[in-house]
Amino acid sequence: RGGSNKPNQPKASSGNPIKPKAVVSTTSGDSKLFPRSNASLTGLPSTNPLYMDDTYRNKAEAKVIQIVSGEQESIVITDQTIFHPQGGGQPSDEGTMTVGSNNFEVKKVTKAKETGAILHAGVFRRGSFREGDVVSQEVNMTKRIFHARIHSAGHLLDVAMAKIGEQRKPGKGYHYPQGAYVEYIGKIDVKERDAIVTKLQAAIDELIKSDIATKVELKNNIRHVSVAGVEEGCPCGGTHVRSTGEIKSMRVTKLKNNKKNARVSYSVEV
Ligand SMILES: [Zn+2]
């Protein structure tokens, strides 16, 4: 589904498959700041994803499994995490991890596809950690909830498209604060676009006003998420708001064709 973020299968929209090596170049945007050798990051156990249980939980404790220190930036790996990693077209959480007065700023979080280990990249603002330390994790909730609203809006768009009779298979999705969109398979003729955008906006407004609860259930151990009352939820590892009402305000900003697909761009009010 367009709004989906398959837990074990990052979508094309999330960029290249996330490998520990890729973290080096993507985390700070400057590979020189980052540890050169990530060889030791292979063979890590998968991280227990606490963020999947409750979007609104902002704190947790976790044990440090490994630290890879760079000259300026480091990677901290813990046994479990409250931080949602980048993936499925959704940006990662940010926040802090602390042990006493030792403080690590979490700037970007990625998931190693091969192992399921979640890598917290960032900077020690004070002191450092040791393996075995129990850290207090705290997520920046302003960004967390904003990202959850934008991502949930992607799911909502799928439902609104179906509601107005545009039964198209969702493709790529991009759920960032700037330039969010979902693509649907098949082009839409330029003559039809204005009418579709008008109907789509009305359907979206109605779904938000109806304040429909988000449903999350496990099927064969895979988390399925249903937004805006769709019967069949889809597999998704993203963060979602409790109900459509919490998306608050969503505007369709553009409808255009991108190669063989129709791309619906949207924005969510800060
Ligand atoms: Zn989702």
Side-chain angles (χ1 to χ4, degrees):
R1 302 291 176 90
S4 80
N5 169 2
K6 288 177 190 162
N8 299 316
Q9 200 184 330
K11 293 172 45 159
S13 55
S14 65
N16 297 322
I18 299 157
K19 295 175 184 154
K21 205 177 162 196
V23 175
V24 175
S25 57
T26 57
T27 300
S28 62
D30 181 353
S31 61
K32 277 179 286 197
L33 294 177
F34 232 73
R36 291 300 174 97
S37 169
N38 282 298
S40 58
L41 288 177
T42 57
L44 286 165
S46 70
T47 309
N48 180 19
L50 298 174
Y51 59 85
M52 289 233 197
D53 298 338
D54 183 359
T55 295
Y56 298 84
R57 180 176 170 188
N58 68 330
K59 286 180 185 171
E61 297 207 322
K63 192 193 267 186
V64 175
I65 300 286
Q66 196 173 337
I67 303 163
V68 181
S69 298
E71 277 177 33
Q72 294 188 32
E73 297 204 335
S74 301
I75 296 174
V76 176
I77 297 122
T78 50
D79 61 342
Q80 54 185 12
T81 188
I82 198 80
F83 290 94
H84 171 259
Q86 176 185 302
Q90 225 188 331
S92 86
D93 279 331
E94 295 171 26
T96 56
M97 290 202 246
T98 54
V99 179
S101 61
N102 298 321
N103 186 304
F104 181 72
E105 182 189 347
V106 178
K107 297 173 86 172
K108 187 164 178 178
V109 186
T110 52
K111 185 172 174 179
K113 196 183 166 197
E114 296 85 350
T115 60
I118 293 173
L119 316 176
H120 308 87
V123 178
F124 279 102
R125 293 297 177 201
R126 184 173 173 171
S128 65
F129 302 152
R130 281 178 300 197
E131 283 166 27
D133 277 352
V134 174
V135 295
S136 299
Q137 301 178 325
E138 185 166 355
V139 166
N140 175 330
M141 286 306 273
T142 306
K143 287 190 178 176
R144 154 71 66 86
I145 299 300
F146 189 38
H147 295 164
R149 288 171 60 221
I150 298 167
H151 174 70
S152 302
H155 283 276
L156 186 94
L157 191 57
D158 295 350
V159 181
M161 283 287 279
K163 260 197 173 351
I164 65 163
E166 293 293 325
Q167 300 277 4
R168 293 164 185 271
K169 198 171 183 286
K172 205 160 107 174
Y174 181 80
H175 306 146
Y176 279 65
Q178 300 296 323
Y181 65 81
V182 178
E183 288 192 356
Y184 296 90
I185 310 302
K187 294 183 192 179
I188 293 178
D189 193 278
V190 67
K191 285 177 282 183
E192 300 171 34
R193 289 181 204 163
D194 283 352
I196 287 176
V197 167
T198 304
K199 279 194 277 180
L200 197 50
Q201 187 63 56
I204 287 166
D205 293 346
E206 187 59 36
L207 287 166
I208 290 176
K209 202 175 136 203
S210 303
D211 197 21
I212 303 157
T214 301
K215 276 183 259 168
V216 179
E217 58 180 338
L218 281 179
K219 288 180 192 167
N220 299 324
N221 243 355
I222 303 277
R223 190 175 73 152
H224 283 65
V225 179
S226 161
V227 171
V230 284
E231 257 178 53
E232 279 288 305
C234 57
C236 188
T239 55
H240 308 85
V241 290
R242 288 187 193 100
S243 64
T244 55
E246 297 204 5
I247 296 169
K248 288 181 186 156
S249 171
M250 171 183 174
R251 307 303 305 171
V252 175
T253 54
K254 200 190 256 182
L255 170 55
K256 65 168 193 175
N257 290 333
N258 182 41
K259 294 174 186 160
K260 289 179 177 171
N261 299 329
R263 176 183 289 189
V264 182
S265 298
Y266 66 92
S267 66
V268 168
E269 203 177 283
V270 178

